[in-house]
Amino acid sequence: MKQAGSALTFLCLVITFFLWGCPVGVSYPLGEMADAQNMPQLIGTWVTDDPEAEMKKLSVTAGDKPGTYRVEVLEKGSSYAVETTSFLAWTTLLEGKTFLIAQEIATGLYFHYYLESSGTANISLSDVTLKVGGIDAITSVAAFREEVRASLAFPDVFVSRIDWHKP
């Protein structure tokens, strides 16, 4: 009985994260690291004034491979729920849109954000909702890309937008 209660609690958390648009770590990236887009404007310290943000301050440095970045969460918000604060990140293009992929170093899980850039000192990150097959559709990189491509037809595919700026 206790296992059923634990499973139900876990299911409720997953559904809550999905409905609220909070990022959920998945086993596949939306794009391969080898195809990373070089965006040197991402390097630097980023802060947000949004009181609801999971992360408040980030440090982004160049990664070991071209087009990759090391991301360190310097200041967490009250809803930060990831195990660690260190990520390997890169960007990918899909349907003319830029997505940031952040791989948690400790677990290897991938977190995905829609990235909008306004010059070199302002960016916005939005959570990506999967509107057609949901998380169950993520069985490979190619399947994930197809799910996001199909979800782009919905007006509310990007949620929980957070604006960031360099101090």
Side-chain angles (χ1 to χ4, degrees):
M1 186 69 167
K2 188 174 183 178
Q3 285 181 331
S6 295
L8 182 59
T9 300
F10 176 75
L11 181 61
C12 288
L13 284 172
V14 170
I15 290 170
T16 300
F17 281 135
F18 180 73
L19 293 175
W20 281 359
C22 295
V24 175
V26 296
S27 299
Y28 295 95
L30 185 58
E32 299 290 352
M33 188 184 307
D35 300 325
Q37 304 296 308
N38 190 27
M39 296 185 71
Q41 68 269 31
L42 294 179
I43 294 174
T45 300
W46 294 91
V47 296
T48 182
D49 300 321
D50 189 319
E52 301 298 316
E54 295 177 334
M55 301 166 282
K56 302 286 189 171
K57 186 174 186 180
L58 305 173
S59 171
V60 180
T61 57
D64 296 335
K65 297 180 182 175
T68 66
Y69 310 92
R70 293 275 177 194
V71 178
E72 188 68 33
V73 178
L74 301 177
E75 185 179 336
K76 303 175 194 175
S78 61
S79 62
Y80 190 81
V82 180
E83 288 186 31
T84 64
T85 58
S86 299
F87 298 84
L88 176 62
W90 63 94
T91 60
T92 190
L93 291 174
L94 180 64
E95 298 295 318
K97 298 189 182 312
T98 303
F99 295 87
L100 177 71
I101 301 162
Q103 182 181 24
E104 187 179 10
I105 302 292
T107 65
L109 291 175
Y110 300 94
F111 296 83
H112 301 82
Y113 303 90
Y114 171 55
L115 170 67
E116 295 176 279
S117 178
S118 308
T120 59
N122 295 290
I123 61 170
S124 296
L125 296 175
S126 300
D127 295 336
V128 181
T129 59
L130 304 177
K131 300 292 192 175
V132 179
I135 289 182
D136 290 339
I138 305 173
T139 57
S140 67
V141 173
F144 193 6
R145 291 180 72 83
E146 284 306 312
E147 173 63 23
V148 172
R149 185 176 284 116
S151 295
L152 289 173
F154 295 83
D156 57 346
V157 65
F158 303 126
V159 297
S160 304
R161 177 184 165 137
I162 302 290
D163 295 320
W164 294 85
H165 62 276
K166 290 182 178 177

